[in-house]
Amino acid sequence: MLNITIQKTTTPAAKPAPGANLGFGHIFTDHMFIMDYTEGKGWHDPRIVPFQRLSLSPAAMVFHYGQAMFEGMKAYPGKNGSAYIFRPDMNAKRANKSNERLCIPYLPEEDFIQAVEALVRVDRDWIPTGEGESLYLRPFIIATDEFLGVAPSKTYLFMVIASPSGAYYASGLNPVGIWIEDEYVRAVRGGMGFAKTGGNYAASLIGQVKAHDEGFAQVLWLDGVERKYIEEVGSMNIFFKIAGKIVTPMLNGSILPGVTRDSVIQLCKHWNMPVEEKRISVDELLEAQHSGALEEVFGTGTAAVISPVGKLRYGDEVMTINGGGIGPVTQKLYDTITGIQLGRLEDPLGWRVEIK
Ligand SMILES: *Cc1c(COP(=O)(O)O)cnc(C)c1O
């Protein structure tokens, strides 16, 4: 158990008015969680303090070599002043997978969860209550040694900040267009594609800009070696419904193991719906589309939950999926997962955690 000290702000900010367009990641709550790590001492001084700027040396290692990791979660309003979060144990475990890959010290999973829950409790009134809105939570760790040598840092900061965020799709669930990228790659096997770390995003920006310039919302990355097998979308995992079966690329080290991805697989199994994790080539996808077997495509991730894909571009071909509409399984998964998260549906797999 962490002994978290809490220093509340004396100048609380005005909360966004109900109905205001929150967008994503622009607004921050009154407080943040912060804890130090020092070699030999371990994690220490866990505290919640007013949201504030950090003071770091320009030589802090994170600025130079990118030794950093992050997580992404959401809190929803619960009953009687409580809050709900979704499968925090999965984020805490994944955080340590990222930490291990990046030579960041282990952070006990119960401490990670306790930090997140403590911040949600303090800033509970910042959880927006409009349809599709939530309090986005961003736990992260950065290397802080003042040193320009290349080595794992000996000091770190673990922080959690929170941002009231709007519905991912302002006009409701909307199919997006996706660009299958065949020039740049995001990650390679043996690299850090499975870790949630800024470097993977830095590598992906150029593809994202290219896709936007071409009028597509997101990039679908192919494997880094043969550029032939489907990996994942910018900040989402990807699923296909082919001839009645749900398929998704198997985890191979260069794909981020999404909590939403795992939830979709488990729900399909719970519903006795055929689901398979396997290697999927872009040729197989094109064939499925040409034979009419490609029925639905959707992305999965904490921010959008389920994101229907209406259009996929590869080379000269633009594939329209399901007539550009939302498929029935896509819709059912969205309704079920968000229903569980918001406390509107039964939670058969025990995923919702109430913070009192
Ligand atoms: C976070 C993330 C996802 C989605 O993971 P969730 O746990 O479902 O939010 C997918 N791909 C990448 C690259 C990510 O960073």
Side-chain angles (χ1 to χ4, degrees):
M1 273 286 276
L2 297 176
N3 186 9
I4 304 174
T5 61
I6 298 177
Q7 182 204 344
K8 289 220 178 146
T9 181
T10 52
T11 53
K15 298 184 178 69
N21 180 13
L22 299 174
F24 176 80
H26 292 292
I27 305 166
F28 299 95
T29 62
D30 278 332
H31 300 91
M32 63 192 214
F33 174 92
I34 182 162
M35 177 160 73
D36 299 278
Y37 179 92
T38 310
E39 194 178 73
K41 196 169 170 188
W43 292 105
H44 60 94
D45 291 315
R47 56 209 186 268
I48 287 175
V49 294
F51 186 89
Q52 60 192 263
R53 305 261 164 104
L54 299 173
S55 172
L56 288 174
S57 164
M61 292 183 78
V62 65
F63 297 136
H64 305 277
Y65 309 119
Q67 197 192 5
M69 60 72 71
F70 68 94
E71 274 297 323
M73 307 163 73
K74 277 177 171 178
Y76 302 89
K79 294 194 179 70
N80 306 319
S82 74
Y84 297 131
I85 54 174
F86 187 70
R87 309 189 71 188
D89 54 316
M90 295 284 285
N91 295 93
K93 278 195 201 100
R94 185 172 67 194
N96 278 321
K97 293 260 160 43
S98 301
N99 287 344
E100 187 183 15
R101 179 64 181 80
L102 284 140
C103 297
I104 294 171
Y106 176 82
L107 173 65
E109 279 143 33
E110 58 273 22
D111 293 354
F112 175 100
I113 295 171
Q114 196 194 337
V116 167
E117 292 190 350
L119 183 66
V120 170
R121 257 183 221 108
V122 170
D123 280 336
R124 162 69 179 76
D125 291 345
W126 281 87
I127 304 177
T129 54
E131 191 59 38
E133 294 178 345
S134 60
L135 184 65
Y136 183 80
L137 305 167
R138 170 53 60 85
F140 65 107
I141 300 176
I142 56 171
T144 53
D145 272 11
E146 189 174 357
F147 178 47
L148 295 182
V150 177
S153 182
K154 294 176 167 56
T155 59
Y156 298 85
L157 287 178
F158 169 50
M159 278 170 279
V160 188
I161 55 175
S163 174
S165 295
Y168 198 77
Y169 298 106
S171 51
L173 205 58
N174 248 329
V176 295
I178 286 191
W179 172 275
I180 303 180
E181 176 57 43
D182 50 13
E183 179 189 0
Y184 301 111
V185 299
R186 169 191 172 273
V188 294
R189 261 157 270 169
M192 55 184 192
F194 68 89
K196 218 166 167 70
T197 182
N200 289 329
Y201 280 81
S204 76
L205 292 175
I206 194 166
Q208 186 71 36
V209 168
K210 185 172 155 190
H212 274 187
D213 287 348
E214 300 283 345
F216 291 80
Q218 299 258 4
V219 175
L220 177 59
W221 298 101
L222 299 178
D223 76 278
V225 180
E226 297 177 73
R227 285 179 237 186
K228 187 172 158 190
Y229 297 99
I230 307 281
E231 299 236 304
E232 65 172 301
V233 181
S235 56
M236 292 190 288
N237 296 109
I238 189 92
F239 284 78
F240 306 95
K241 181 159 168 266
I242 301 177
K245 186 186 216 178
I246 305 293
V247 294
T248 192
M250 62 196 282
L251 299 178
N252 61 357
S254 52
I255 296 174
L256 199 287
V259 176
T260 322
R261 175 187 181 277
D262 181 79
S263 305
V264 164
I265 293 169
Q266 286 204 45
L267 267 181
C268 288
K269 288 183 179 161
H270 182 72
W271 291 334
N272 291 317
M273 198 180 273
V275 57
E276 193 186 355
E277 300 172 66
K278 61 176 203 135
R279 206 151 79 142
I280 305 164
S281 70
V282 72
D283 289 339
E284 184 181 344
L285 200 66
L286 290 169
E287 258 165 53
Q289 168 72 357
H290 296 158
S291 71
L294 183 58
E295 294 158 352
E296 298 184 40
V297 180
F298 56 92
T300 67
T302 296
V305 187
I306 301 286
S307 181
V309 176
K311 219 167 62 171
L312 273 174
R313 166 271 167 203
Y314 181 67
D316 296 331
E317 183 162 356
V318 178
M319 302 176 247
T320 300
I321 315 298
N322 191 43
I326 302 170
V329 174
T330 307
Q331 184 74 53
K332 184 178 175 182
L333 283 162
Y334 179 81
D335 292 343
T336 305
I337 295 176
T338 56
I340 292 171
Q341 290 172 333
L342 287 158
R344 291 177 185 164
L345 290 180
E346 284 301 302
D347 178 20
L349 297 158
W351 288 340
R352 186 170 59 231
V353 172
E354 186 172 21
I355 304 175
K356 291 213 162 104

